[in-house]
Amino acid sequence: MTENIRITCLLDRYWDPATLDYAGSEKSGVLVDISMQSAEEDSAKLIPVGIVVLDDNTFHSVPMEFIKKAAAN
């Protein structure tokens, strides 16, 4: 990627049956690249993931469905 993009992403995800949606910790950071990896529920299935550097300087690989572009300041 030629440009870093500010994002928020959902980490430590779990399915919440009360809301019928995923819940977890929302963290801010920068999307530095996009890649593919095996899905957690089916290792034969590849899914797109974002390589993210969080504001605490840790790297994470996050499925794209759990990444949102941060609002412009």
Side-chain angles (χ1 to χ4, degrees):
M1 292 179 59
T2 60
E3 171 184 344
N4 292 336
I5 301 170
R6 289 290 304 164
I7 55 93
T8 57
C9 59
L10 191 64
L11 299 179
D12 304 321
R13 296 172 299 280
Y14 61 93
W15 181 254
D16 185 352
T19 62
L20 299 178
D21 201 4
Y22 284 95
S25 304
E26 198 166 271
K27 303 282 184 170
S28 296
V30 176
L31 178 67
V32 294
D33 206 354
I34 297 172
S35 188
M36 300 290 283
Q37 80 178 34
S38 298
E40 290 178 8
E41 64 278 355
D42 181 1
S43 62
K45 180 181 175 185
L46 290 177
I47 59 169
V49 295
I51 308 303
V52 175
V53 179
L54 297 179
D55 290 342
D56 65 1
N57 287 327
T58 60
F59 283 89
H60 288 271
S61 172
V62 181
M64 291 301 289
E65 66 183 292
F66 299 110
I67 297 175
K68 296 183 288 188
K69 186 174 179 181
N73 291 339

